Amino acid sequence: MTEDYLALSGIQHYCFCSRQWALIHLEQQWADNTRTYGGSQMHQRADDPYFTESRGDVRISRSLPLSSDRLRLRGVADVVEFHRCDEADGIRLEGETGFWKPVPIEYKYGQEKEDHSDLMQLTAQAICLEEMFKIDIPVGYLYYGKTRRRFKVEITAGLREEAFMLAAEMYQYLESGETPAAVLQKHCQNCSLQQLCVPKLSKKSRSISSYWKHMMEDEEDA
Ligand code: SF4
């Protein structure tokens, strides 16, 4: 049963800010800013389900559905490349000879970040692919549209441990129904939910809807 699983893309939001994740994924709040709009445009291009390519010993699959019973996450991979490899390292692909190694590629609109959020999304994708194909996925790639650079990422034990920890925390918030408190940080200035979050005011852990209800009650009492 995967329909109850949380969205895989949420692990990136959660790693950036647990409150942002809760506002988007638990409270269904969303606000586009330039970064997210550009990102969604880029994903629309990368998510074209009819677009497949072959480049030498690489086969490219787009919009591949992913899920992991261990992480309890599901989503869609922008791009998964299948690299021709030895039998011991690969899987068979329909209509192709030989063996192929799945390699997740995550496209980002902006540039490299200081936090682990993009790494977490890529790592979660790798864990999904490992479960789905019953194979080790030791590397993936992050591609940044602004700098047009592609980075090879080793999916280390440390990254895997962090992904499992964050996924478990996400479920703890889901089960408690609590939205984490705002913690005003430098990265808030890049957050598309800044207007909704009101980080200077929301020190207590409560949902955004209860915040607005509280504010309206205050106005009525005034
Ligand atoms: S404004 Fe800051 S605290 Fe609020 S959701 Fe965004 S990053 Fe998190």
Side-chain angles (χ1 to χ4, degrees), residues 16-21 23 181-185 187-199 202:
F16 175 74
C17 170
S18 59
R19 180 171 172 82
Q20 190 203 60
W21 166 79
L23 294 175
V183 179
L184 184 63
Q185 294 180 67
H187 68 192
C188 292
Q189 66 194 14
N190 296 325
C191 177
S192 61
L193 298 186
Q194 195 180 26
Q195 296 300 318
L196 289 165
C197 171
V198 283
S202 302

Side-chain angles (χ1 to χ4, degrees), residues 119-133:
L119 291 172
M120 283 298 98
Q121 191 168 2
L122 188 71
T123 300
Q125 289 176 1
I127 291 169
C128 289
L129 290 167
E130 287 181 334
E131 273 187 48
M132 290 163 57
F133 293 114

